Amino acid sequence: MATITGFIEKIKFRNEANGYTVLSVTDQMDGEEVIMVGNLAYATEGDMIQATGIMSEHPVYGEQLQIERYEIKVPQDELSMERYLGSGAIKGIGAALAARIVRHFKADTFRIMEEEPERLSEVKGISEKMAMDIAGQVEEKKDMRQAMMFLQSYGITMNLAARIYQEYGPSLYGVIKENPYRLADDIPGVGFKMADEIAERVGIFTDSDYRIKAGILYILLQASANGHTYLPQEELLTQASELLKVDSQVMEKHLMDMQIDRKLVVKASSGSQLVYSSQYYYLELNTARMLHDLNIRGDIPETEIKANLEKIQKEEAIFLDPLQERAIYEAVNSGLLVITGGPGTGKTTTINAIIRYFEMESMEIFLAAPTGRAAKRMTEATGYEARTIHRMLELVPAGIPGSDSSDIHGAGMGKRGTAGMHFDRNEENPLDADVIIIDEMSMVDISLMHSLLRAVNIGTRLILVGDVDQLPSVGPGNVLRDIIDSGSFNVVKLTHIFRQAAQSDIIVNAHKIHAGEPVDLAKRSRDFLFIRRDNPEAVISASITLLQQKLPGYVHAQPFDIQVMTPMRKGVLGVERLNQALQKHLNPPDKSKKEKEAGGTIYRVGDKVMQIKNNYQMEWEVCNQYGIPVDKGAGVFNGDVGVIREMNEYAELLTVEFDEGKRVEYSFKQLEELELAYAITIHKSQGSEYPAVIIPMYNGPRMLMTRNLIYTAVTRARSCVCLVGLPDAFRSMASNCAEQTRYSGLKARIKEIYDQAESLT
């Protein structure tokens, strides 16, 4: 460890988003320049810094100090005072004025500025107003220095300390000493465990009311990350007791207090108590209300609809079966319609006929899907522009006046993960459409559904399309299934497999998997292949051969467009191990390719990567062939896949290009939001379609090896499915119809709304 004290001569680089700074410091001991790097959001040129860290040799930029802790010092001698004041650190003071101030007050300069600032007006060129302004700046810097030292004394990192100071200012002392669990509510990136560590250092007791309440909310937050909108009370208290090491009976009294504080909502159901964080309860309740309000009935005669349908079928040279015709009748006469069905049942043809029908009526039609890839597929299938739901709702970056994070995440969400992002389209500025069609609805979680409905006017037709047998959304809720199972809305389920689709073994076998029927793995097929391999190494080897040699020419695609999908993250054929093996062969080390190791993963220029969490702040731009930006926006979302195009080691940035040419800059500190994507979990494949998919088939945890998981995987392939491994593993998976429990209450909220409406009529 080395400690260096000196003046900050120049801020060479600073990432304003996270405070990462590269600065040049003149060592007070020998006058030599030292390059330092670290999170110093509030350090300025001219400050005297005492920094401790590890000296390292950067391969490009030479020796530098990696700062682990630092302190901004007050200059002690007259020369240092003059240098500091003349550096520009205090606005309004230049070198000449700094010399006059120090010459007048000598070693007493800083005491005068802090205790008797009005005396600064004794110096020629300083008015009384200017004197007080200078004093204010000095006091602010002093407060900041003291706050940083206070926070670091509790083991809080420099980066987090800067965010805490920015959030609370001088009131941070009370927050840290009395209730550090507020950090988990107020500051993105701070979770319960981090706040709990700080609380332990502060000396807050294990059974503190603050701690128990924060722990309960943390368990519910973790549940939402697993797709749940609530937990049964017994399960919640059991998990909280294990986390907090506090008896569950002690915690029961806090549930009532948290309901009074509107942090929780507890609902009785079938003899048990269901506990929601208020945020998700009201998301479900308001979603149910808006669905009810949209569900109005039209009165256009069937004869008129039938005449238009016959015209469409003749002009488009298509044939609609009775269920497809029924779907179009309902689309015309329903404010809200759900169309569901498996692969090959004509969902796309039905959507196209609906679009054509409403075009004939000169109606404004919007198409959207949850992800960029799903929207692109929708555009290709319909010839009509489709957008992501986020883009249709006009996601606005942070810092724009009027931002309201509840636009995205509903009432009570607070600041976590949104940082002021909002949708411009809402009830005050609804979508200007007569018809809105949403595809891949199984992917839509309760938060996004709530935001969508806020922007849909009553009288606009909303048509929801999806395969209810796919996996539920990654985010909390089970929206499509709950809407269908409520029995309150018009639902058309397409079941007929059309002749052309029936020629595809992908589609035929997908339906067999869903129905629990045996699949002939020995059949010689053009698009559904099973390659037997008896051990994990052989599975990996065969997968690499398929990716590099066999499949690209067969399906007319690049290796990067072909996707390896596996049920699990860990294990011999999990995502983590597969990615290491595939990266080695598809994008091997090369002196011409820059790379960065982070969290045990090597990120290399040319790597295929995936965003693994929603980041509403991340800005992107699309440039033309000359590098001139032609489009820009904000938001990178869980499941977005791209390629690392550039890496700047000096600025510690890498650039990822996502679909549609969207380029996003990541700081090295943000690499935790990315992972390699040569192989992905089947869950992450939702809404995507690939020319070919490779699915390793090997034994794994029964809870992961389920029928709807393999059904989802198979239906992601457009031209070819390659299963590689053990036939018994496939058969076991296809026969396991168990599904993981997902606690979701939208169905119950819909029924409550309809029961209330009936009681009033």
Side-chain angles (χ1 to χ4, degrees):
M1 299 287 280
T3 299
I4 294 172
T5 302
F7 283 97
I8 299 175
E9 295 286 355
K10 187 170 181 59
I11 303 291
K12 291 177 171 287
F13 170 80
R14 173 170 284 153
N15 184 326
E16 297 297 341
N18 60 20
Y20 178 81
T21 306
V22 179
L23 58 157
S24 169
V25 174
T26 300
D27 191 334
Q28 200 175 35
M29 295 291 291
D30 56 19
E32 292 291 317
E33 181 191 52
V34 179
I35 300 299
M36 299 183 180
V37 295
N39 292 94
L40 294 85
Y42 290 100
T44 59
E45 292 178 1
D47 282 347
M48 176 175 279
I49 186 172
Q50 184 177 78
T52 300
I54 298 172
M55 296 299 299
S56 62
E57 187 72 25
H58 192 282
V60 177
Y61 304 108
E63 191 176 49
Q64 55 189 26
L65 182 74
Q66 301 277 345
I67 299 174
E68 294 194 0
R69 61 181 182 274
Y70 77 98
E71 181 182 345
I72 301 298
K73 309 285 283 186
V74 177
Q76 298 297 319
D77 61 87
E78 293 179 27
L79 182 62
S80 296
M81 291 177 185
E82 182 179 332
R83 184 172 183 176
Y84 171 76
L85 292 174
S87 69
I90 304 294
K91 291 178 182 176
I93 300 181
L97 185 54
R100 290 202 299 274
I101 293 172
V102 175
R103 194 160 53 243
H104 186 79
F105 295 113
K106 298 187 169 48
D108 218 18
T109 296
F110 269 78
R111 188 195 67 76
I112 295 293
M113 295 176 82
E114 290 177 4
E115 299 176 10
E116 303 176 77
E118 68 279 359
R119 288 189 57 193
L120 288 171
S121 60
E122 296 173 11
V123 178
K124 183 180 178 182
I126 299 181
S127 65
E128 289 186 11
K129 183 178 181 301
M130 184 178 178
M132 299 313 293
D133 182 55
I134 291 170
Q137 292 185 61
V138 171
E139 186 64 25
E140 184 180 354
K141 287 179 177 290
K142 177 185 175 184
D143 289 345
M144 186 200 69
R145 286 196 301 271
Q146 290 174 342
M148 292 294 151
M149 291 173 64
F150 170 78
L151 293 169
Q152 289 180 50
S153 71
Y154 288 110
I156 295 171
T157 65
M158 294 181 291
N159 188 25
L160 179 56
R163 285 188 283 151
I164 293 172
Y165 182 78
Q166 189 174 20
E167 176 69 27
Y168 300 116
S171 64
L172 67 87
Y173 300 97
V175 171
I176 296 298
K177 289 180 177 178
E178 295 170 17
N179 181 16
Y181 297 99
R182 276 186 60 186
L183 302 180
D185 286 333
D186 297 338
I187 300 177
V190 177
F192 170 81
K193 290 187 176 179
M194 186 183 294
D196 203 33
E197 288 174 5
I198 296 169
E200 186 178 7
R201 295 187 195 111
V202 171
I204 289 176
F205 294 120
T206 303
D207 60 353
S208 155
D209 289 355
Y210 290 133
R211 182 171 186 265
I212 290 173
K213 290 176 181 179
I216 289 170
L217 289 175
Y218 172 73
I219 294 296
L220 289 174
L221 179 67
Q222 292 299 103
S224 70
N226 292 320
H228 307 302
T229 57
Y230 68 83
L231 284 178
Q233 181 172 313
E234 185 177 344
E235 190 170 331
L236 168 66
L237 294 181
T238 297
Q239 291 186 36
S241 178
E242 290 175 2
L243 172 73
L244 301 170
K245 309 303 181 192
V246 173
D247 189 272
S248 59
Q249 292 182 338
V250 174
M251 292 185 284
E252 285 189 34
K253 64 178 183 180
H254 293 90
L255 296 181
M256 181 60 72
D257 293 339
M258 294 175 78
Q259 289 180 74
I260 293 170
D261 293 339
R262 299 187 177 182
K263 296 282 188 181
L264 300 181
V265 173
V266 179
K267 297 287 289 185
S269 176
S270 303
S272 62
Q273 300 289 99
L274 312 180
V275 184
Y276 286 85
S277 66
S278 295
Q279 156 203 344
Y280 283 114
Y281 175 77
Y282 288 109
L283 279 175
E284 287 190 341
L285 183 63
N286 291 330
T287 295
R289 176 184 54 77
M290 290 185 285
L291 287 168
H292 169 272
D293 293 347
L294 284 175
N295 191 28
I296 55 181
R297 191 71 190 167
D299 56 2
I300 298 173
E302 283 202 11
T303 52
E304 181 181 328
I305 299 172
K306 187 171 182 63
N308 284 338
L309 271 183
E310 288 174 352
K311 184 177 179 182
I312 290 169
Q313 292 182 83
K314 185 176 180 180
E315 289 180 355
E316 302 294 324
I318 59 173
F319 169 76
L320 300 173
D321 75 1
L323 281 173
Q324 289 176 307
E325 289 190 354
R326 184 80 250 152
I328 296 164
Y329 288 136
E330 295 296 343
V332 174
N333 271 323
S334 301
L336 178 67
L337 171 67
V338 177
I339 301 173
T340 187
T345 56
K347 293 193 297 294
T348 299
T349 301
T350 305
I351 292 173
N352 283 329
I354 290 171
I355 291 170
R356 185 76 184 90
Y357 188 101
F358 289 124
E359 275 186 327
M360 290 170 59
E361 300 293 316
S362 300
M363 291 187 176
E364 185 72 23
I365 307 161
F366 285 1
L367 306 185
T371 67
R373 288 198 168 204
K376 185 178 180 182
R377 285 176 56 202
M378 198 178 186
T379 299
E380 292 168 350
T382 64
Y384 218 88
E385 182 195 4
R387 295 169 286 176
T388 63
I389 298 173
H390 289 88
R391 194 146 198 209
M392 181 177 71
L393 297 179
E394 298 177 17
L395 184 66
V396 177
I400 303 298
S403 65
D404 174 6
S405 61
S406 67
D407 282 1
I408 295 179
H409 290 284
M413 184 61 182
K415 298 181 181 180
R416 176 173 302 278
T418 64
M421 308 304 293
H422 75 283
F423 289 121
D424 244 4
R425 294 292 182 170
N426 49 41
E427 56 272 90
E428 296 176 1
N429 182 27
L431 294 164
D432 301 319
D434 301 301
V435 181
I436 299 171
I437 304 175
I438 308 295
D439 198 12
E440 293 288 356
M441 263 301 300
S442 63
M443 297 181 67
V444 176
D445 63 23
I446 189 66
S447 299
L448 188 56
M449 189 64 185
H450 181 268
S451 295
L452 170 66
L453 292 174
R454 288 182 67 190
V456 180
N457 259 333
I458 295 174
T460 299
R461 291 173 174 84
L462 180 62
I463 301 168
L464 310 176
V465 184
D467 184 349
V468 74
D469 297 312
Q470 298 277 1
L471 295 168
S473 58
V474 174
N478 205 351
V479 174
L480 181 61
R481 185 175 292 280
D482 279 356
I483 290 173
I484 292 172
D485 290 351
S486 74
S488 302
F489 308 101
N490 291 320
V491 178
V492 177
K493 183 167 186 177
L494 305 177
T495 56
H496 175 68
I497 303 176
F498 285 86
R499 186 174 64 182
Q500 185 176 356
Q503 296 173 357
S504 164
D505 285 327
I506 295 174
I507 290 173
V508 170
N509 288 337
H511 283 276
K512 285 183 177 180
I513 291 167
H514 177 249
E517 298 172 5
V519 174
D520 183 2
L521 299 180
K523 178 183 176 182
R524 294 179 64 86
S525 171
R526 293 175 302 171
D527 61 3
F528 193 96
L529 313 173
F530 197 101
I531 300 168
R532 178 167 184 139
R533 293 292 184 272
D534 294 330
N535 62 73
E537 300 306 323
V539 171
I540 293 173
S541 178
S543 298
I544 291 168
T545 300
L546 286 167
L547 269 173
Q548 288 188 309
Q549 301 172 28
K550 304 292 186 182
L551 285 175
Y554 187 65
V555 298
H556 308 292
Q558 297 298 314
F560 272 39
D561 296 325
I562 298 165
Q563 189 61 58
V564 178
M565 296 188 294
T566 182
M568 63 205 84
R569 293 194 56 80
K570 305 288 186 181
V572 291
L573 289 174
V575 163
E576 293 174 5
R577 184 163 187 245
L578 283 170
N579 270 319
Q580 289 180 353
L582 295 172
Q583 181 192 45
K584 181 179 177 181
H585 286 83
L586 294 177
N587 191 31
D590 189 308
K591 289 183 179 179
S592 67
K593 293 180 179 179
K594 294 179 180 178
E595 60 183 49
K596 167 67 178 176
E597 188 275 333
T601 298
I602 293 174
Y603 297 90
R604 184 176 296 129
V605 171
D607 272 337
K608 182 178 181 180
V609 292
M610 174 183 282
Q611 174 79 11
I612 59 171
K613 61 186 286 190
N614 288 340
N615 188 324
Y616 300 98
Q617 300 178 70
M618 198 78 85
E619 296 188 8
W620 53 260
E621 65 178 20
V622 178
C623 296
N624 62 18
Q625 58 183 324
Y626 305 108
I628 300 171
V630 294
D631 193 11
K632 62 182 179 179
V636 185
F637 304 105
N638 190 354
D640 286 354
V641 174
V643 177
I644 299 175
R645 296 298 188 196
E646 299 172 12
M647 194 174 292
N648 184 328
E649 293 173 307
Y650 183 75
E652 298 208 344
L653 296 170
L654 63 78
T655 302
V656 177
E657 182 177 334
F658 291 99
D659 285 342
E660 301 174 338
K662 295 178 180 176
R663 288 190 166 229
V664 178
E665 281 192 345
Y666 290 79
S667 73
F668 286 177
K669 298 286 186 182
Q670 293 173 299
L671 292 182
E672 63 185 18
E673 296 190 19
L674 290 174
E675 67 182 21
L676 296 178
Y678 299 101
I680 63 174
T681 62
I682 295 169
H683 275 92
K684 294 286 189 181
S685 73
Q686 287 176 272
S688 297
E689 184 179 77
Y690 310 96
V693 300
I694 300 169
I695 310 169
M697 283 285 102
Y698 210 70
N699 300 322
R702 183 168 173 78
M703 63 182 292
L704 291 178
M705 309 293 282
T706 62
R707 178 182 296 172
N708 70 335
L709 203 66
I710 190 64
Y711 171 80
T712 298
V714 166
T715 56
R716 297 306 89 200
R718 185 166 58 245
S719 301
C720 190
V721 170
C722 291
L723 299 150
V724 185
L726 300 173
D728 285 347
F730 171 82
R731 295 189 186 104
S732 174
M733 202 169 180
S735 64
N736 181 11
C737 56
E739 293 185 28
Q740 286 182 284
T741 300
R742 176 165 287 213
Y743 297 121
S744 167
L746 179 60
K747 173 183 171 182
R749 302 289 83 74
I750 291 170
K751 289 188 172 183
E752 287 175 0
I753 293 289
Y754 272 88
D755 288 345
Q756 290 171 9
E758 286 179 12
S759 68
L760 295 173
T761 57

